[in-house]
Amino acid sequence: MLTRHARIGILVAFVTVCALAISGAAWTVRLPFPGWWPFATFLLVATILEGLNTQLRVAARGSTSFIMHLAAGLLFGGFWGAAIAGISTLFGDIARKNAPIKVLFNVSQRVLAVALAATLYQSLGGELPPTYLASGGNLSSQVVQRDLGLFLVYAVAYFLVNSVAVSAAVALSSERAFREVWHLNTRGVIGYDLGASVIALLVDILYTGFDRWIGFGSAGLI
């Protein structure tokens, strides 16, 4: 029978391989590189939010950095959004001096969550960047309504991947039932997370608005 550490190692390896695979798929359909200023400012804000943690009920932490992960994925596409999510998570874990295997897992599951959510969004017909961010976007347009509706799918997919991966890791490390851990850590925050994910839309609207207004979208992050 496998030891607890062996089971955790298998989970981390599985999540890492999945993250690499979906990132490779996202690379083939990637949007153009957004530029160093947009990439760096989104990364900076995501890293700052990554440092603002809340303690969940069972051996896990949460943060509002997901807002920037979702915003970056919508605006820059799955590959660059996943890169911002992964790098900001890496910086946060290094600052907290987490063990290497925990760093690898956290980075991988964030990359997997963003890239997979964006891939699902696109496979269902959503456009990246969404049509409602374009100048003159009309809410009466069926295309705009489609992309707004698919945002919910995008957000749910992100949180589902994140919560399942984290709950599985916590269940293995604490030797508790997955269902119990997932229920305790997810039930109280899933509504908040989905509601707060709407802020990602506001971030992207402000970014694109400032980009059209003064030619420097990063100012909108303020």
Side-chain angles (χ1 to χ4, degrees):
M1 185 175 180
L2 293 174
T3 65
R4 178 170 60 91
H5 293 294
R7 293 196 298 270
I8 293 173
I10 291 173
L11 174 65
V12 173
F14 175 75
V15 173
T16 302
V17 170
C18 288
L20 290 173
I22 195 66
S23 295
W27 171 262
T28 63
V29 294
R30 70 190 183 280
L31 298 181
F33 180 62
W36 286 111
W37 266 112
F39 189 89
T41 49
F42 268 76
L43 177 59
L44 174 63
V45 176
T47 302
I48 291 173
L49 294 179
E50 183 67 29
L52 304 177
N53 294 289
T54 55
Q55 183 66 48
L56 301 181
R57 295 185 68 179
V58 184
R61 293 178 180 273
S63 78
T64 54
S65 60
F66 67 83
I67 292 172
M68 299 307 297
H69 301 167
L70 291 172
L74 280 179
L75 196 61
F76 306 139
F79 180 81
W80 300 116
I84 289 172
I87 296 172
S88 63
T89 302
L90 175 64
F91 288 163
D93 275 18
I94 290 175
R96 288 189 290 272
K97 299 180 180 179
N98 284 337
I101 191 170
K102 188 172 184 179
V103 174
L104 177 60
F105 173 78
N106 287 339
V107 171
S108 296
Q109 63 93 1
R110 289 283 179 77
V111 168
L112 176 62
V114 175
L116 187 59
T119 299
L120 177 61
Y121 173 91
Q122 288 182 290
S123 69
L124 294 175
E127 292 189 27
L128 294 176
T131 51
Y132 48 78
L133 294 179
S135 178
N138 192 331
L139 287 177
S140 64
S141 167
Q142 290 186 350
V143 176
V144 170
Q145 292 175 6
R146 177 205 63 198
D147 284 357
L148 282 171
L150 286 175
F151 171 77
L152 179 61
V153 177
Y154 172 70
V156 169
Y158 173 90
F159 290 122
L160 185 61
V161 171
N162 178 268
S163 65
V164 169
V166 171
S167 295
V170 172
L172 289 176
S173 62
S174 63
E175 298 185 330
R176 302 175 71 165
F178 169 83
R179 183 177 180 180
E180 177 191 6
V181 173
W182 190 85
H183 180 72
L184 289 173
N185 278 347
T186 305
R187 182 187 62 178
V189 298
I190 187 64
Y192 161 79
D193 287 345
L194 288 174
S197 66
V198 178
I199 300 175
L201 294 179
L202 178 60
V203 169
D204 286 346
I205 290 171
L206 289 173
Y207 177 90
T208 54
F210 271 77
D211 193 48
R212 287 193 294 266
W213 180 33
I214 62 174
F216 190 62
S218 296
L221 295 182
I222 299 174

